[in-house]
């Protein structure tokens, strides 16, 4: 690094030093303005964006619907994070951490909130008794791999992705640090997937949904073709697993929700309005094409 930074005795916030996120990131929490959230007719109201964490929830909903759980019908509303939608009072009432996704469950007599992507996956899996084994050791293995993903995602997104793509300047040390950690995480998954079809064993689970949204994105060229920079083709077991999940109908639909191709989802008919029909191809497009 060309500039050596000596931390001051007391840190102060520099709003001009945030790169692409300078307009939204602050060292404070809570609502910044009074904004009510829209509400649709379905039992579940999802407020999200088509990021890796956001599509965990939409893939889960679409997998449930694909499996015949009609009670999993949902409305998905786009939260534009660069516009600061996540800091409206309605959203922070659902998630005080101000991050997508956030869910309002209205399926019972008392509506309640569920926030954090892993928590939403567990909630829906338990509610519908789907994609989460009932007994150990399979249940414990699924939770272990789910928490592995939840704990490792910041190294990929806020670490590698930030310093490789979003930081105002590129520096070798942070990019090397998080490239190394991202490759290590791919190696962990690759070793496991060399022994089992899916992360937690022979069956597809919520652990696969959680990990796929991150590992799959990078494998297909997210962060400006970072798969080449990281030589992700080396992880053949991860590649086999990613391609198998790519082709699942529920996953294909879930990846589209709350994206530019499909900003909102209120019924299955909304998928018919997606203009680019190639997005439904079981062979997934690269992110950088």
């Amino acid at each position: 690094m060309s500039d050596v930074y000596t931390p001051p005795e007391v840190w102060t916030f520099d709003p001009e030093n945030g790169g692409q996120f300078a307009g939204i990131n602050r060292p404070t929490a809570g609502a910044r303005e009074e904004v009510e959230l829209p509400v649709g007719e379905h039992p579940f109201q999802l407020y999200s964006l088509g990021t890796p964490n956001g599509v965990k929830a939409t893939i889960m909903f679409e997998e449930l619907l694909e499996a015949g759980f009609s009670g999993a019908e949902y409305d998905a509303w786009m939260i534009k994070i660069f516009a600061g939608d996540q800091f409206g009072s309605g959203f922070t009432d659902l998630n005080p951490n101000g991050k997508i996704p956030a869910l309002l469950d209205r399926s019972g007599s008392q509506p309640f909130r569920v926030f954090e992507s892993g928590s939403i996956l567990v909630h829906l899996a338990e509610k519908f008794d789907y994609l989460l084994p009932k007994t150990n050791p399979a249940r414990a293995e699924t939770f272990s791999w789910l928490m592995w993903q939840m704990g490792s995602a910041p190294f990929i997104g806020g670490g590698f992705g930030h310093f490789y793509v979003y930081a105002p300047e590129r520096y070798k040390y942070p990019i090397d640090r998080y490239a190394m950690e991202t490759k290590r995480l791919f190696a962990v998954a690759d070793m496991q997937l060399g022994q089992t079809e899916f992360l937690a064993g022979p069956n597809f689970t919520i652990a696969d949904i959680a990990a796929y949204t991150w590992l799959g994105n990078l494998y297909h060229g997210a962060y400006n073709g970072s798969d080449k920079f990281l030589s992700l083709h080396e992880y053949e077991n991860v590649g086999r697993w990613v391609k198998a999940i790519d082709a699942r109908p529920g996953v294909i639909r879930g990846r589209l929700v709350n994206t530019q191709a499909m900003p909102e989802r209120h019924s299955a008919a909304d998928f018919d309005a997606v203009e680019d029909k190639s997005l439904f191809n079981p062979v997934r497009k690269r992110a950088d094409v």
Side-chain angles (χ1 to χ4, degrees):
M1 296 173 68
S2 58
D3 299 319
V4 176
Y5 174 62
T6 301
E9 184 175 350
V10 178
W11 180 83
T12 56
F13 174 51
D14 179 2
E16 303 301 319
N17 195 32
Q20 294 184 38
F21 295 92
I24 58 175
N25 284 348
R26 301 178 189 175
T28 56
R32 298 179 187 174
E33 57 182 337
E34 292 293 321
V35 180
E36 291 187 8
L37 291 174
V39 179
E41 64 180 33
H42 294 306
F44 298 97
Q45 300 296 302
L46 181 68
Y47 303 91
S48 190
L49 186 66
T51 67
N53 284 335
V55 298
K56 290 177 191 176
T58 52
I59 286 175
M60 183 63 183
F61 275 117
E62 293 299 329
E63 283 284 332
L64 286 165
L65 292 169
E66 181 71 16
F69 295 98
S70 59
E73 273 294 347
Y74 69 107
D75 292 282
W77 306 90
M78 179 181 277
I79 298 296
K80 299 176 182 178
I81 60 176
F82 280 104
D85 291 354
Q86 69 274 33
F87 303 119
S89 57
F91 189 86
T92 58
D93 283 346
L94 287 184
N95 186 354
N97 194 38
K99 302 286 185 180
I100 60 94
L103 176 68
L104 179 65
D105 184 334
R106 305 188 307 166
S107 62
S109 59
Q110 180 65 44
F112 58 90
R113 69 186 185 186
V114 187
F115 60 91
E116 292 296 327
S117 58
S119 181
I120 292 171
L121 288 175
V122 172
H123 172 64
L124 294 174
E126 291 186 332
K127 185 176 185 67
F128 292 98
D129 190 18
Y130 192 59
L131 301 184
L132 177 60
K134 289 183 178 181
T135 59
N136 291 326
R139 184 177 179 86
E141 188 75 0
T142 300
F143 273 118
S144 292
W145 284 106
L146 174 63
M147 298 309 162
W148 169 79
Q149 189 285 316
M150 296 296 293
S152 64
F155 293 101
I156 297 176
F160 173 72
H162 179 80
F163 287 106
Y164 186 67
V165 176
Y166 299 118
E169 299 90 18
R170 308 292 184 269
Y171 290 115
K172 179 176 171 54
Y173 176 78
I175 291 175
D176 280 356
R177 167 70 178 87
Y178 291 109
M180 175 184 67
E181 184 63 10
T182 299
K183 285 182 67 68
R184 189 191 70 80
L185 292 167
F186 266 80
V188 171
D190 200 66
M191 290 177 62
Q192 175 67 10
L193 292 167
Q195 304 174 54
T196 57
E197 184 175 359
F198 295 102
L199 281 175
N203 300 314
F204 183 72
T205 70
I206 57 173
D208 297 293
I209 293 176
Y212 166 81
T213 63
W214 283 97
L215 302 188
N217 271 20
L218 265 69
Y219 187 84
H220 284 299
Y223 297 136
N224 297 341
S226 64
D227 60 314
K228 299 172 185 175
F229 177 72
L230 296 170
S231 299
L232 297 185
H233 66 277
E234 298 173 348
Y235 306 101
E236 295 180 1
N237 298 316
V238 172
R240 182 266 305 164
W241 169 81
V242 165
K243 291 171 186 176
I245 298 175
D246 283 344
R248 295 176 68 94
V251 172
I252 292 171
R253 294 195 303 271
R255 290 199 309 259
L256 294 177
V257 181
N258 296 145
T259 68
Q260 185 176 357
M262 186 176 169
E264 295 181 3
R265 187 271 186 207
H266 302 291
S267 76
D270 291 328
F271 292 101
D272 297 333
V274 174
E275 294 183 5
D276 186 354
K277 301 305 180 185
S278 71
L279 293 172
F280 295 97
N281 194 311
V283 178
R284 184 176 175 181
K285 280 186 175 182
R286 285 182 56 83
D288 58 346
V289 172

